[in-house]
């Protein structure tokens, strides 16, 4: 059921939600969270489609905030709220409200969203494209238990990661980090097996890929070894090679779907490692609403003395397929490496998702 409201208020939107639920025969509210999507007119369709798919696993009230401040002085001075309420149909067991904030109201989105939040339910805010410099300080971000950004959607992904590291607050996360969960799971499982000392690591990915930067930082911090970034043809991440005294542990994915894991003294095996849709990434993030400590330690490592060259210098981000590399190493030593390998396995195994 769809209800269009022009020049409306938050109170009238709430009344329309109740009316729509009763009309569809679902007077009870069975949703577990409120997902607020902050986007623009050109990108709201794809973001809403992904969120609606994710809500099949996590029934949610989805509030899509579309800011339309206007171009002329007259348009910027006005303040009007238009809304579209959707219940049932493609929204499944959840609810969707599209909020178009015109003129001056675009600067006060939090005052519109606050009365529409589900009572006693967590709030997640997602910026699919450009996000505030400090999401935790944003007025909408202050309402949320989790704040989701996407460095891959920005003009300078590496600079965006650096900004996220400097402004990190508990509850922040980025889809560039979520994309490497299957990679971390497979690598952690490989490191759980008996192997000789790891001496260095190479991460291969296409240019301008923030996920490869985060994976390089994670490996550098956890394994305490030098990590080199090289540019490949893609798509996305293509390979990780861990050099040991006995040979290479190599996870190689050339087609974006199926990877091959090679370990010294063992037969090669195939691993399903497909590139995931945005809806799957959002669904994964909605499974946990507590702070992601592993993401925090990795992103902060990027602005320390050890990881600074990786996160700020844009290591491996040069286009054209030419090799570009640098070293990101934590304090070395066999004891430190064994401990790092142990830590690498535990969090990744806990966060593993089906691929």
């Amino acid at each position: 059921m769809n209800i269009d409201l022009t020049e409306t208020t938050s109170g009238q939107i709430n009344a329309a939600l109740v009316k729509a639920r009763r009309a569809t025969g679902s007077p009870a509210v069975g949703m577990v969270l409120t997902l607020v999507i902050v986007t623009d007119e050109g990108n709201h369709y794809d973001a809403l489609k992904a969120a609606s798919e994710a809500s099949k696993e996590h029934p949610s009230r989805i509030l899509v905030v579309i800011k339309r401040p206007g171009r002329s002085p007259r348009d910027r001075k006005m303040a009007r709220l238009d809304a579209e309420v959707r219940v049932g149909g493609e929204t499944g067991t959840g609810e969707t409200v599209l909020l178009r904030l015109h003129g001056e109201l675009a600067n006060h989105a939090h005052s519109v969203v606050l009365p529409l939040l589900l009572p006693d339910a967590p709030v997640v805010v997602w910026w699919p494209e450009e996000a505030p410099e400090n999401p935790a300080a944003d007025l909408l971000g202050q309402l949320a238990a989790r704040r989701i950004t996407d460095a891959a959607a920005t003009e300078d992904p590496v600079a965006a990661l650096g900004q996220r590291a400097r402004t990190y607050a508990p509850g922040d996360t980025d889809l560039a980090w979520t994309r490497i969960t299957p990679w971390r799971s497979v690598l952690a499982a490989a490191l759980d097996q008996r192997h000789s000392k790891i001496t260095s690591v190479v991460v291969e990915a296409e240019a301008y890929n923030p996920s490869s930067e985060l994976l390089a930082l994670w490996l550098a911090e956890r394994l305490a070894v030098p990590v080199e970034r090289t540019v490949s043809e893609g798509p996305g991440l293509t390979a990780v090679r861990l050099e040991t005294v006995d040979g290479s542990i190599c996870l190689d994915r050339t087609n974006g779907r199926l990877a091959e894991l090679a370990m010294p003294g063992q037969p090669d095996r195939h691993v399903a490692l497909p590139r995931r849709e945005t809806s799957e990434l959002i669904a994964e993030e909605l499974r946990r609403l507590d702070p992601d400590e592993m993401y925090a330690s990795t992103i902060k490592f990027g602005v320390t003395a050890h990881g600074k060259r990786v996160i700020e210098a844009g290591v491996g981000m040069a286009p054209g397929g030419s090799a570009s590399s640098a070293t990101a190493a934590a304090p070395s030593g066999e004891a430190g490496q064994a401990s790092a390998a142990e830590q690498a396995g535990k969090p990744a195994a806990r966060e593993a998702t089906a691929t």
Side-chain angles (χ1 to χ4, degrees):
M1 180 178 182
N2 289 12
I3 301 176
D4 291 323
L5 302 171
T6 304
E7 296 189 31
T8 186
T9 64
S10 297
Q12 292 173 340
I13 295 171
N14 268 320
L17 284 168
V18 174
K19 177 182 177 181
R21 282 201 303 270
R22 289 176 176 170
T24 57
S26 302
V29 178
M31 290 156 287
V32 298
L33 58 89
T34 303
L35 175 60
V36 181
I37 305 173
V38 186
T39 183
D40 54 30
E41 200 70 62
N43 296 296
H44 85 275
Y45 176 81
D46 291 336
L48 179 56
K49 183 178 179 181
S52 298
E53 286 294 319
S55 70
K56 294 177 181 178
E57 182 178 337
H58 311 278
S60 313
R61 173 176 288 179
I62 302 173
L63 304 178
V64 185
V65 178
I66 304 172
K67 298 181 179 182
R68 305 185 67 175
R71 297 182 179 181
S72 67
R74 178 182 178 183
D75 290 340
R76 288 194 292 269
K77 288 181 180 179
M78 66 179 294
R80 191 180 88 235
L81 173 63
D82 297 335
E84 182 181 346
V85 176
R86 302 176 183 177
V87 177
E90 294 182 358
T91 60
T93 57
E95 300 170 341
T96 298
V97 182
L98 275 71
L99 303 167
R100 288 182 170 86
L101 282 61
H102 299 266
E104 180 63 24
L105 193 60
N107 298 321
H108 303 279
H110 64 286
S111 63
V112 176
V113 168
L114 186 59
L116 300 176
L117 302 179
L118 289 171
D120 302 320
V123 178
V124 178
V125 178
W126 172 31
W127 291 270
E129 299 292 328
E130 293 293 332
E133 288 190 1
N134 187 349
D138 183 79
L139 292 175
L140 279 174
Q142 291 176 6
L143 302 175
R146 293 297 300 273
R147 295 167 292 275
I148 304 173
T149 56
D150 190 359
T154 63
E155 292 186 4
D156 190 339
V158 176
L161 289 181
Q163 181 65 25
R164 298 289 167 261
R166 288 186 289 271
T167 61
Y168 175 82
D172 289 355
T173 192
D174 197 280
L175 294 186
W177 173 254
T178 317
R179 290 184 181 97
I180 63 173
T181 299
W183 285 83
R184 293 189 297 121
S185 300
V186 174
L187 291 170
L191 293 175
D192 278 343
Q193 303 179 45
R194 186 177 180 86
H195 58 82
S196 57
K197 179 183 176 181
I198 297 173
T199 58
S200 64
V201 177
V202 176
V203 177
E204 294 182 3
E206 64 184 347
Y208 307 108
N209 187 292
S211 295
S212 64
E213 303 298 327
L214 289 174
L215 184 58
L217 289 171
W218 177 70
L219 289 167
E221 183 196 21
R222 293 287 129 185
L223 299 178
V225 296
V227 177
E228 180 183 348
R229 276 280 287 109
T230 60
V231 176
S232 67
E233 295 293 329
L237 277 160
T238 53
V240 175
R241 292 194 300 274
L242 296 86
E243 301 296 337
T244 73
V245 176
D246 297 329
S248 296
I249 300 173
C250 182
L251 182 61
D252 189 3
R253 184 189 69 177
T254 57
N255 59 11
R257 296 185 300 275
L258 189 65
E260 184 175 77
L261 177 63
M263 299 185 66
Q266 298 185 23
D268 295 351
R269 68 196 75 172
H270 290 97
V271 181
L273 210 61
R275 304 190 74 192
R276 297 184 292 170
E277 299 290 337
T278 305
S279 58
E280 297 175 83
L281 303 176
I282 292 297
E284 178 184 328
E285 285 300 332
L286 297 183
R287 289 185 199 122
R288 55 175 301 171
L289 298 177
D290 58 314
D292 191 337
E293 296 178 359
M294 191 59 58
Y295 169 73
S297 63
T298 300
I299 198 76
K300 289 178 181 178
F301 179 75
V303 291
T304 64
H306 300 301
K308 186 174 182 180
R309 282 171 292 179
V310 174
I311 199 76
E312 292 189 350
V315 177
M317 302 299 284
S322 58
S324 174
S325 65
T327 297
S332 58
E334 288 190 42
Q337 187 182 102
S339 172
E342 261 181 28
Q343 294 175 44
K346 291 179 182 178
R350 183 170 62 249
E351 298 172 14
T353 58
T355 58

